[in-house]
Amino acid sequence: METMTPPPATQSTSERLLLAAQELFLERNYADVTMDQICAATEVTKGALYHHYSGKEELYLAMLHQDLAAKRELFAAAAAMQGSCRECLHKLTNDFLSLPAVNRGLITLVRRDINIFSAAARADLVRAYQSALPEQVQIILENGMANGEIVRTDSRLLSWEFVALVEVTLSPYAEQVLPTVAAKLDHVLAVFLKGAAAPQSAIRS
């Protein structure tokens, strides 16, 4: 297993704890991560950890909400830009796929671990996730429908389908087939905007 390098001392204790939590929770299941491991990874005492977070659940939820807030800000810039639907989807997807692997992976934890928490915590996480990604895609798609670039349909459903298509490119197999960000982008936009059907001329030939 790769040993984590402690974050620079210039970072706040809270930032160091959140960064260590990101790597550990991605590497292992929620139940397998302990506060002792987080302390060891950050060289922070248990007392200092509990000064910032009451326990593992609070730290984990803070980590996810911080990440989702950052993603919402990033993706909202693509949703607000002037350009065609394709250009806006290209920017949003490129911004996501260009993130470090840890930051790309964190968004998958919402689905993986959602049932661990209370109903209220789950609702907050789902709301933060929707605001960060699907709703930003939905804005782009609704603009595309208004401009005649996309056929009118349920934009919310279509936004989730686009997100699912992007998430498929994060799988280990997709990484072999589509090893670069550019390849992933071309594939996602081609399938989403043009479909997988071959042109009639190709079928006839």
Side-chain angles (χ1 to χ4, degrees), residues 77-205:
M81 69 176 277
Q82 298 296 316
S84 68
C85 179
R86 180 186 178 87
E87 289 169 342
C88 294
L89 287 175
H90 185 284
K91 175 173 172 51
L92 184 148
T93 310
N94 183 66
D95 286 347
F96 174 66
L97 294 175
S98 298
L99 289 170
V102 168
N103 298 96
R104 292 198 311 270
L106 284 174
I107 207 162
T108 66
L109 296 187
V110 176
R111 186 178 294 109
R112 189 192 78 179
D113 297 332
I114 191 70
N115 291 322
I116 293 172
F117 305 108
S118 67
R122 287 199 306 270
D124 285 344
L125 268 182
V126 169
R127 181 73 208 120
Y129 175 85
Q130 290 174 338
S131 178
L133 186 50
E135 288 182 5
Q136 305 309 315
V137 174
Q138 186 175 355
I139 291 169
I140 295 172
L141 296 179
E142 287 176 350
N143 289 337
M145 292 176 195
N147 296 334
E149 299 172 71
I150 295 180
V151 65
R152 288 199 173 274
T153 185
D154 188 302
S155 60
R156 186 167 185 265
L157 178 60
L158 197 60
S159 70
W160 282 93
E161 290 169 340
F162 182 81
V163 169
L165 188 58
V166 174
E167 287 186 351
V168 167
T169 68
L170 302 181
S171 68
Y173 178 73
E175 190 61 38
Q176 297 175 33
V177 179
L178 308 166
T180 67
V181 169
K184 291 179 176 67
L185 268 171
D186 288 344
H187 175 77
V188 167
L189 293 177
V191 171
F192 185 75
L193 295 174
K194 297 180 181 178
Q200 288 301 308
S201 57
I203 296 173
R204 286 194 296 271
S205 63

Side-chain angles (χ1 to χ4, degrees), residues 12-17 35 38-39 42-55 59:
S12 71
T13 299
S14 180
E15 288 173 331
R16 292 165 64 194
L17 291 168
M35 298 299 258
I38 294 170
C39 288
T42 55
E43 298 181 355
V44 169
T45 65
K46 263 194 172 180
L49 190 159
Y50 283 108
H51 173 73
H52 288 85
Y53 302 102
S54 62
L59 172 61

